[in-house]
Structures are given as structure tokens and as C-alpha cells.
Amino acid sequence: MAGKLDLDATVVARARALAARAGQPVVDLARSHTTVSVERAVLRLAGVTGADPDGIPWVNRLVDAVRADVGLGHGVAVPVFHAMETAGVEDVTVLAQKAAAGSVRFTMPASPGRARQRARRATAAGLKTIDRRRAERDRLIKRHGDPKQRPWIYLIVATGDIYEDIPQAQAAARAGADVIAVIRSTGQSLLDYVPEGATREGFAGTYATQENFRLMRAALDETSKEVGRYVRLTNYASGLCMPEIATLAGLERLDMMLNDSMYGILFRDINPIRTFVDQRFSRQIHARAGIIINTGEDNYLTTADAVEAAHTVTVSQLMNEYFAHEAGLADWQLGLGHAFEINPDLPESFRLELAHALLARELFPDAPLKWMPPTKHMTGDVFRGNLLDGFFNLAGALTGQGILLVGMMTEAVVTPWLSDRDIALQNVRYVLNGAGNLHEDFTPGPFIRGRANQVLSEAIDLLERIVDDGMLNAIADGTFGIMKRPADRGKGLDGVEKQDEDYYNPVAEAL
């Protein structure tokens, strides 16, 4: 695909350099702070499991107890493993139970060496499990094979009940889906704990829990063997428990995770500092686990105009790329988001969509871009909706997208039935089979090249302003998705703490 838009390599390099300058202060902020969720993720890797009779995870109870005694500025690893030695406790979950009962107190030892050593050993076992699951994925892909075509067909399943999700996910895989996404229950991103066990009561989605991850992964492994290709599983590492959910995904061999640097800030009003600190740690875990992240730029176009705000998507993609690389993710793990959201009544709308999709493809040639279907302008007319989804599928074929989310003709009407998904998959298969490698023959004319270069130029102008004003101020001003989110407000700010000079995190050290 390289070169079709006549992008100036110097201009592209300038855009990336500006993104790095804009992103560096955010990285510095993330490196100098911690959060309750980062510390809980560390303890999950060290082996804390389960929940109390009220459903509050023991890891929450343990972090809260440490924070009450010594704060989070030192990190939880040293006070926890020092307490295990002084209290004569060998199991970290038992320590959490004792702490919840008030029978253990936490202090910082004068010499933290032994506690650090014990913490390193405990968390290394968790990281070793993640490494083992990654190797297991590689073996299964070699055994069952990968989908023969690109883009991968990505389909959402989420009834609220994990035991209903499983047969629907397996049916979707048999019908041609390459990636199954189990979207989360409405509001889970605002819970500052991860529910425990298998769940059957989600709303417009199913709760992300370790047991739900395990059940769905096992089911899709069975189906992978049946259909002769490895079926990938996606969930959401976002919200107030982003680092913990990323950790659980690594432990249970999920393959992709929704993990955007700004989605929670803009659309869930989560504090920006909390989000950026959590996001960096979660991406380090994803890098270790070999998980592909999916970013959320498509969401901006559901609130802002898809033509006027096209450059904000490009800016966010460049920022997400910078943050991802800094956290250790490789290009093949960057499912950068963009969407087919221009009003279809606008003259030349399809050509504009092609320009935006091709710009993303050429800016990030080695990334498996995630191309999102129309939602904002779906009217409830299922015939028009199916046709619009067909145009979306054709745009994906023409521009060589990597991950194509299946659009539903019943978008804005009902939660899709199995029959709706089957029709939508027929649409995708028809277009992709018919188009084949049409992107090899597609040569854009001056309209598409001109529009793509215009969007890139506008993106550079915006990046220059962000460099001058700061990323946090840009978010506060409503630059992305027209949502204004100040850095001193939003949910979860009380869970952020500045690191002390003796802060210690054995997982961050290993990553």
C-alpha cells in the first residue's frame, strides 16, 4: 500500500516527532505516579486471588490496608512481603485475609532488601505464567493455522450471561468470525474492583472476570480445533481496573484487548492522570503477553463530526503509537482504531471515507488497523443499514485494513439476534470474497490524495498546539471527541499517588 497517497516522508516524520514531544510529559507523569489498580495488579501477579463474603476482592482489601498504614508512595510490594515475613505468613492471600481482619499491620523496613527479593520471586511466578500462555498461543496457531484472509473478521458477542455468550461465540466462529469480542457490562469501567467468578447478570455486556475469560478461552480453543484456525478472543482493558484486567487477560491467554489512552477519560469521565498511569502499566503487560491492543479513536467520531474532526483521529493514532512503543509494544500489536462514520448523505462521502482509511493504512503500514463500522448514522432502516455496512466492508477491502469489525443492520434498533449476525457475516464474506485483493489494483485519484494530505496537515497543526499547550490541557479543552476533561477532576483521582524516592515495583522492574 505504500506510496499511493504521495505522502511526504519528511511531513510524516515531523508528525511522529511532534507526537513524541507531546507525549513525553505524559510518560514522565506516568513514570512518577502509581495507582491503586497498578498496585493491585502487582499483587495479583504475586498470587492474591479470591474475594471476601461480600464479593470484595482480597487484593482490594490488602491494598486498602497497606495504604491506610503506610500509603502507596513506596509501592505495596515491600510492606506486603515484609509483613509476610514478620507475621510468619507464607500465602499472600492469607495475609490479605488477616489484614482485612485487622490482625496485621504494615510498616516500611529499614532495610528493604529481603522484602524486595521475596516480592521479585513471587511476581516472577505470575509473569512466568503469562509467558507460558503466550507460548501456548504460538503453539495453537501453528497447530490450527491462522485465518487465510485479511482483514480478520471481528464480531461482538455479549448477552450478559457468560454461559449464553459461549454458544453464540462458537456459532459466530463457525460462521466465519476470526475474532470474538465479549464486550463488558455497562458501567463496569467505573467499578474500582474486578468482580470474581463466572457471571450471569451483565447489562448490555458481560462482566470481565478471570473466570469468564477462562471459560470463553477454553470454549474457543475447542472451536479452533473444530474449524481448523485459531479463533482469537478480545475483551476490554479500560476503566478504573485497566492494569488488573490486562494482567488477568495475560494469565488467561486473551489475544486482543481494547486499550485506548483516552477512551476512559473522554467517555467515562475517568481522571486523566489515573488513566495515563494505568494505561502505561497495562500496555507493558500486553507487550509481555503478546496481546494486540485495540485503540478507540472511532469513538471520537460518534460525538464529533467525522469530516471536521478527522485530523483528531490521526493525532490520537500517532499519540497511541508513541505511548505503545514507549511501553514496549511492537507494531504488530497496534490495532489502531478508525471508523466509517461520515454522514452518507454528504456528497462524496465514500471517497472521503476512503481517504481517511487509506491515510491510516499508509501512516501505520505494519499495524493491524482496526476498522469500525457505521453507527452514528444508522437510522433503524435495516435495508439501508445493510447496504451501508456493505460500503464499509468495501472500503476495508480497498484500503487493506487488518481487523474489520462486523457492522450490524440492526444497529440502533435492538441488541443483535443470532440471525442478524449471520446476515452481517454473509455481507462481509460476500464483499471480501468478491473484492479479493482489489486493494492491489486500487489507485486513488487527486481527490482522495488531496483529502488525505489535508487531514495530515491539519493533524500536524493540532500536534504543534498540543506541544505548546500540553496534552492534559488539550484534553481539558475538548480537543478530542468534544469532551472537556480537566486533569484535576474525574473519577478515580483519589486512587492516584506520587511515587516516593524509595518506590519499588518488581513487575515494572521486570518489564
Side-chain angles (χ1 to χ4, degrees):
M1 300 301 297
K4 290 191 174 186
L5 290 176
D6 298 330
L7 299 179
D8 186 327
T10 305
V11 174
V12 173
R14 174 162 174 72
R16 281 198 162 85
L18 286 167
R21 286 176 58 195
Q24 187 60 54
V26 174
V27 170
D28 293 341
L29 189 74
R31 284 175 173 269
S32 61
H33 289 75
T34 190
T35 73
V36 288
S37 189
V38 167
E39 301 302 326
R40 293 193 300 250
V42 170
L43 293 178
R44 285 182 180 276
L45 284 168
V48 180
T49 59
D52 71 12
D54 294 322
I56 300 172
W58 290 120
V59 72
N60 284 65
R61 301 297 300 267
L62 183 52
V63 168
D64 290 348
V66 173
R67 192 178 193 188
D69 286 348
V70 295
L72 288 186
H74 313 284
V76 296
V78 169
V80 162
F81 283 90
H82 175 62
M84 287 181 71
E85 185 169 25
T86 57
V89 177
E90 293 299 323
D91 186 289
V92 70
T93 302
V94 172
L95 182 79
Q97 293 165 352
K98 287 181 173 293
S103 61
V104 173
R105 305 294 295 181
F106 297 93
T107 60
M108 285 297 294
S111 300
R114 278 181 64 85
R116 288 188 174 195
Q117 186 179 32
R118 288 172 64 108
R120 273 196 297 270
R121 192 161 56 241
T123 53
L127 290 172
K128 188 175 181 180
T129 298
I130 288 177
D131 294 342
R132 189 167 65 248
R133 301 313 300 272
R134 178 173 181 167
E136 188 177 57
R137 179 194 299 116
D138 292 341
R139 286 197 305 273
L140 289 172
I141 290 172
K142 189 173 182 180
R143 181 183 306 164
H144 301 314
D146 246 345
K148 294 182 174 62
Q149 64 173 16
R150 281 292 185 100
W152 288 335
I153 299 171
Y154 176 117
L155 191 137
I156 291 173
V157 172
T159 66
D161 181 343
I162 187 62
Y163 295 107
E164 290 292 334
D165 290 347
I166 286 171
Q168 292 202 19
Q170 291 178 313
R174 293 183 191 109
D178 302 310
V179 183
I180 300 295
V182 183
I183 60 172
R184 290 192 315 194
S185 178
T186 297
Q188 186 180 350
S189 60
L190 301 182
L191 298 181
D192 216 340
Y193 68 95
V194 180
E196 188 74 16
T199 65
R200 310 196 70 169
E201 71 283 353
F203 301 93
T206 301
Y207 284 99
T209 75
Q210 184 169 6
E211 179 64 4
N212 285 349
F213 290 175
R214 188 191 68 79
L215 289 168
M216 184 61 82
R217 181 65 272 169
L220 291 180
D221 283 348
E222 291 178 12
T223 308
S224 297
K225 184 177 180 181
E226 176 189 334
V227 300
R229 56 187 163 79
Y230 183 72
V231 181
R232 286 171 170 80
L233 175 59
T234 301
N235 211 288
Y236 288 49
S238 59
L240 292 172
C241 294
M242 189 191 306
E244 292 175 87
I245 294 175
T247 298
L248 297 177
L251 292 170
E252 298 300 337
R253 190 173 32 89
L254 271 70
D255 308 286
M256 296 184 186
M257 295 297 282
L258 277 287
N259 185 257
D260 182 67
S261 61
M262 288 188 283
Y263 175 81
I265 300 170
L266 302 177
F267 297 97
R268 294 294 180 266
D269 194 21
I270 295 173
N271 175 259
I273 299 172
R274 171 73 178 262
T275 298
F276 284 123
V277 176
D278 284 348
Q279 168 247 307
R280 182 172 185 269
F281 187 88
S282 67
R283 289 186 175 187
Q284 289 178 308
I285 295 289
H286 290 325
R288 181 69 171 249
I291 288 172
I292 295 171
I293 66 167
N294 295 329
T295 62
E297 285 81 4
D298 53 283
N299 292 283
Y300 307 166
L301 304 185
T302 63
T303 51
D305 183 82
V307 177
E308 292 178 2
H311 64 291
T312 69
V313 169
T314 303
V315 167
S316 182
Q317 289 169 336
L318 288 162
M319 298 298 298
N320 260 314
E321 179 192 53
Y322 169 74
F323 291 139
H325 284 167
E326 191 279 331
L329 287 159
D331 283 335
W332 67 266
Q333 293 175 281
L334 306 186
L336 300 171
H338 57 134
F340 189 95
E341 290 286 17
I342 296 172
N343 186 341
D345 295 331
L346 186 72
E348 311 283 9
S349 63
F350 187 67
R351 296 173 84 191
L352 290 168
E353 295 284 13
L354 288 177
H356 299 172
L358 196 55
L359 174 62
R361 181 69 281 167
E362 291 202 8
L363 283 176
F364 310 99
D366 299 317
L369 302 182
K370 183 185 173 192
W371 180 226
M372 297 289 284
T375 58
K376 184 176 180 179
H377 298 286
M378 298 292 267
T379 63
D381 178 339
V382 295
F383 300 103
R384 177 182 182 274
N386 199 34
L387 179 61
L388 196 56
D389 284 334
F391 273 93
F392 158 73
N393 296 331
L394 180 59
L398 279 172
T399 58
Q401 300 303 308
I403 304 165
L404 188 145
L405 194 145
V406 176
M408 294 289 158
M409 75 296 297
T410 47
E411 182 77 42
V413 183
V414 294
T415 300
W417 301 99
L418 281 173
S419 56
D420 300 336
R421 292 197 182 100
D422 193 51
I423 292 170
L425 282 166
Q426 287 179 30
N427 187 325
V428 173
R429 286 197 303 270
Y430 174 75
V431 173
L432 295 186
N433 290 341
N437 291 319
L438 184 59
H439 64 86
E440 295 175 359
D441 302 317
F442 170 55
T443 302
F447 178 93
I448 289 175
R449 292 199 304 273
R451 174 58 183 167
N453 279 275
Q454 177 192 350
V455 172
L456 180 57
S457 176
E458 291 173 355
I460 286 175
D461 290 342
L462 176 55
L463 281 166
E464 288 173 338
R465 294 201 301 275
I466 293 173
V467 167
D468 291 338
D469 298 338
M471 186 70 176
L472 294 178
N473 288 331
I475 293 170
D477 291 341
T479 301
F480 302 95
I482 69 173
M483 304 292 187
K484 296 183 178 182
R485 304 300 191 198
D488 60 353
R489 298 179 63 184
K491 302 172 182 69
L493 177 59
D494 59 348
V496 180
E497 204 156 319
K498 189 167 175 52
Q499 296 175 8
D500 292 338
E501 285 187 12
D502 64 349
Y503 175 80
Y504 182 67
N505 182 331
V507 178
E509 179 184 72
L511 297 174

